[in-house]
Amino acid sequence: MSVTAHSQERSVADPEERTERRGPRPVVRRLGIAVALLALAAVVLLSIAAGAQDIPLRTVWEVLRHPDGSRDAVIVHDYRIPRTVLGALVGIALGLSGALMQALTRNPLADPGILGVSLGASTGVVVAIAFCGVSAVSGYVWFAFAGAVIASAAVYAIGSTGGRAATPDRLVLAGAAITAVLFAFNTAVLMVDPRAFDEFRFWNVGSLAGRYLDVLLPVAPFIIAGGIIALALARPLNALALGDQLGTALGVRIRRTRVLGAIAIMLLCGAATAAAGPITFVGLAVPHIARLIVGPDQRWVLAYSLLLAPILLLGSDVLGRVLGAPGELQVGIVTAFVGAPVFIALCRRRRPAAL
């Protein structure tokens, strides 16, 4: 075997090395992780310190260390900390699910809505309000999560009918079909039930306001489980990016990777949407930003998405509180205003990063 042929074979047979060469050096990537961790810590502290109720930073620091039962301590511990933790978890879930979805479908425009997950969660909330009399956010969670799970399972079942593999294009088409059906159902129910429409529109805008421990605790285990599965799939996804045939030749179990990926998306996106409502652009834009920084290696893309998404979501939530004072703008509205121009600017300045 010639030296050239041997080099080509080695390049194809080692997807980690192949993707490693297409990004910055490892030391730069690790430095970026450290910077992102510092930025995340800063935005978490800012989220705890800022709010509709003006509390001096020194007081916030004091009640964080020594909860004394005062009004300021109750606001910080019972309202702001659960809201911040929930925002971080929802951001992590949206970032990881977006990166995973784009890698599995090989579609750079894939987001949590493309497989019908968001509409499935919305349908669960519509059913809860219109037919079950549920009126509390904590009650919406389980219906929204069940709706997301059922819609995701239906998309995968339709995409793999006839014993054929659930290929990316089949999943996208199945997701579009399920989305159209659920959208028609939701519209029909809300049009004939003004009370349901009035309650649904507050959940549908995407918000962290009013979400406390009763919402945080039920969704946290699903997001943690989905995050672990997503991170474990990083290496198979690198091989899958070379194509199904080469991935199989490299020892990757394609069907198993896709099933586990679908389960992770279902857990992450379903729990995030159930907790905060549909929030756009986070799952779409953050993986693109991550790939522009670190290249196509899924190990780094998933790690950066895990850190950058909560920074974007919590930063948008804080911005909404500041701009909307004495009230606040919902985080779903702010992420659309913040994320869309950034995403468009990235697309105009550089070529879309390769998947």
Side-chain angles (χ1 to χ4, degrees):
M1 180 183 296
S2 69
V3 175
T4 303
H6 177 76
S7 175
Q8 290 176 344
E9 180 182 346
R10 185 167 180 265
S11 175
V12 170
D14 192 348
E16 307 298 350
E17 181 182 345
R18 180 190 176 101
T19 52
E20 190 81 28
R21 288 200 301 264
R22 294 168 63 185
R25 292 188 301 174
V27 64
V28 177
R29 292 168 169 167
R30 294 190 183 97
L31 182 61
I33 289 286
V35 172
L37 280 172
L38 290 175
L40 179 58
V43 79
V44 165
L45 293 176
L46 195 60
S47 177
I48 295 174
Q53 186 67 38
D54 187 21
I55 303 176
L57 287 177
R58 183 173 180 178
T59 304
V60 172
W61 178 245
E62 288 296 329
V63 297
L64 274 177
R65 294 189 303 162
H66 306 292
D68 54 8
S70 64
R71 187 197 62 166
D72 292 341
V74 170
I75 291 174
V76 170
H77 285 274
D78 292 358
Y79 294 91
R80 292 186 184 177
I81 290 179
R83 178 174 179 161
T84 301
V85 175
L86 180 63
L89 283 177
V90 169
I92 289 171
L94 292 176
L96 286 179
S97 62
L100 197 56
M101 200 173 296
Q102 290 174 15
L104 280 174
T105 62
R106 296 177 206 156
N107 183 346
L109 296 181
D111 72 350
I114 199 168
L115 294 185
V117 181
S118 296
L119 256 296
S122 298
T123 303
V125 175
V126 169
V127 170
I129 296 172
F131 302 110
C132 301
V134 179
S135 59
V137 174
S138 57
Y140 298 162
V141 171
W142 295 109
F143 285 90
F145 188 72
V149 170
I150 293 172
S152 302
V155 168
Y156 190 84
I158 294 173
S160 58
T161 52
R164 289 175 289 187
T167 56
D169 54 341
R170 291 170 61 84
L171 288 176
V172 170
L173 289 174
I178 290 292
T179 296
V181 171
L182 294 180
F183 181 78
F185 173 80
N186 291 351
T187 302
V189 173
L190 295 175
M191 286 289 288
V192 299
D193 190 342
R195 180 193 60 83
F197 174 77
D198 192 51
E199 293 188 24
F200 176 75
R201 63 192 177 94
F202 287 105
W203 177 85
N204 196 45
V205 74
S207 175
L208 296 177
R211 273 70 163 174
Y212 307 120
L213 286 177
D214 56 345
V215 174
L216 169 63
L217 295 179
V219 301
F222 297 107
I223 294 177
I224 294 172
I228 293 173
I229 297 174
L231 295 175
L233 291 176
R235 288 181 181 277
L237 289 176
N238 275 340
L240 201 61
L242 301 175
D244 288 4
Q245 291 184 343
L246 277 176
T248 302
L250 293 171
V252 174
R253 298 166 65 180
I254 302 296
R255 186 180 180 85
R256 176 174 175 270
T257 300
R258 289 208 171 106
V259 169
L260 288 175
I263 292 173
I265 291 170
M266 191 164 52
L267 293 173
L268 291 167
C269 196
T273 308
I279 295 178
T280 57
F281 277 105
V282 177
L284 175 63
V286 166
H288 280 274
I289 297 172
R291 279 193 294 274
L292 287 172
I293 297 173
V294 298
D297 190 333
Q298 293 299 329
R299 295 171 299 174
W300 290 101
V301 170
L302 289 170
Y304 270 73
S305 297
L306 185 147
L307 294 174
L308 296 179
I311 292 173
L312 174 59
L313 191 68
L314 287 176
S316 298
D317 188 39
V318 172
L319 190 61
R321 294 185 229 171
V322 173
L323 294 178
E328 62 179 73
L329 293 174
Q330 309 301 333
V331 68
I333 298 173
V334 181
T335 56
F337 276 104
V338 172
V342 173
F343 182 61
I344 292 172
L346 287 171
C347 292
R348 288 178 61 87
R349 288 183 60 187
R350 301 180 59 171
R351 290 186 306 169
L355 288 172

